[in-house]
Amino acid sequence: MAIDKHTFFNFNHYLYGEAFYGSYEGMRYRLAREPLENVFFVPVDKRGPATLRATIWPEPYAYAHTDKALMKSEDFEFSEEGLEAAVKWFNEQHEAGNWQK
């Protein structure tokens, strides 16, 4: 794989409501808990449903400065397995060149 799971924050870090941003060979990407909110100190039974949202887009612009029409997103289970699936998805999207479309 081109993008390795160890590139990303540790899974529990996403409970703090922070997104991870990266880039690889012209493809920018973002991984974040959705909804993006700090729930680290909220009891598990009071957190509500969440997913991991993976988003890709072409360089050169940052997430906040890129036309949303150029972005492609996919939601994954909010778990270690979901994190692994998101990393796999990032690599599949890069290999297929879907970030260029």
Side-chain angles (χ1 to χ4, degrees), residues 27-59:
M27 181 182 86
R28 300 235 177 189
Y29 56 91
R30 175 184 185 265
L31 186 65
R33 180 185 185 277
E34 188 63 37
L36 186 64
E37 59 188 8
N38 184 340
V39 296
F40 189 80
F41 297 106
V42 175
V44 174
D45 62 336
K46 302 215 189 294
R47 289 183 186 168
T51 61
L52 275 175
R53 179 161 297 158
T55 304
I56 59 170
W57 68 96
E59 288 185 336

Side-chain angles (χ1 to χ4, degrees), residues 32-97:
R33 180 185 185 277
E34 188 63 37
L36 186 64
E37 59 188 8
N38 184 340
V39 296
F40 189 80
F41 297 106
V42 175
V44 174
D45 62 336
K46 302 215 189 294
R47 289 183 186 168
T51 61
L52 275 175
R53 179 161 297 158
T55 304
I56 59 170
W57 68 96
E59 288 185 336
Y61 300 112
Y63 181 81
H65 299 286
T66 299
D67 183 347
K68 301 303 181 224
L70 297 174
M71 296 181 180
K72 180 177 181 181
S73 296
E74 187 78 25
D75 288 336
F76 298 90
E77 177 182 305
F78 191 73
S79 65
E80 281 287 344
E81 293 79 14
L83 175 59
E84 291 172 11
V87 173
K88 181 179 178 190
W89 182 80
F90 283 131
N91 284 299
E92 290 169 351
Q93 298 306 301
H94 183 269
E95 187 175 312

